[in-house]
Amino acid sequence: SLFTAGADGTGAIALAGPVMTAIHVDGDGVAHQEAVTWTQTGPAADGSVTLTGSSASIASVGVLVVHADGSYDYSQFAPVVSGTAGTPGAEETDGFVFSVSVTDGDGDSDSSDLTIRINDDTPVSADVTASPVLDDDAQAGGNSGGAGDVADAATLSGAAGSLFTAGADGTGAIALAGP
């Protein structure tokens, strides 16, 4: 529980969200970072208040509901930027601190922090040997036939996800290097 109001009951709850950056992944799978703004609503009939984080493209990044008895619920609906880039292939966990202030029925108040920890996912890559074997015979002036020759092929392609999956954070950048 975040607080107990005591015999005077809960008068008011005020919430403040952390600095957070959400990742909007567009229809092409490309990641875009967007600042999160927090909006408090309530109290509801049961005394609970809701803090909703949103960004330019994401209506609900995360939602914190704090109930009049000090209990709470938090739901995360979009990936967020990790504070530091870690070791390739290793996931990081970051803490996001929400401030909670409670005032009881006769005006006494106190405050506390709620730290929500979010684990960042990482991209996963794979080594791929492409198929079919490309053949120089398919090029202008190529010599077809010959020992060990393969079918003439000049192009090949791979399915989505065959080289990598970007994860919930989407694709930020792709770097290629030749042989």
Side-chain angles (χ1 to χ4, degrees):
S1 181
L2 293 170
F3 58 82
T4 54
D8 295 331
T10 301
I13 302 169
L15 305 174
V19 173
M20 183 181 279
T21 303
I23 300 173
H24 165 68
V25 180
D26 68 22
D28 293 323
V30 178
H32 305 276
Q33 295 185 10
E34 300 178 348
V36 174
T37 56
W38 297 95
T39 304
Q40 180 173 322
T41 56
D46 65 359
S48 64
V49 296
T50 300
L51 189 66
T52 302
S54 60
S55 70
S57 302
I58 306 169
S60 188
V61 174
V63 175
L64 172 64
V65 178
V66 176
H67 304 278
D69 64 0
S71 63
Y72 62 90
D73 301 295
Y74 181 79
S75 297
Q76 186 71 27
F77 299 106
V80 297
V81 173
S82 179
T84 57
T87 304
E91 297 185 4
E92 311 85 32
T93 299
D94 289 322
F96 295 90
V97 181
F98 293 80
S99 298
V100 180
S101 297
V102 61
T103 304
D104 69 9
D106 72 353
D108 299 322
S109 63
D110 200 4
S111 61
S112 61
D113 291 332
L114 169 64
T115 301
I116 303 291
R117 295 171 28 129
I118 300 173
N119 182 258
D120 185 30
D121 71 344
T122 59
V124 176
S125 62
D127 292 328
V128 175
T129 300
S131 180
V133 174
L134 299 182
D135 190 359
D136 281 346
D137 297 349
Q139 307 303 317
N143 294 323
S144 58
D149 196 16
V150 297
D152 287 352
T155 61
L156 55 82
S157 60
S162 59
L163 292 176
F164 65 89
T165 55
D169 295 336
T171 302
I174 300 172
L176 303 174

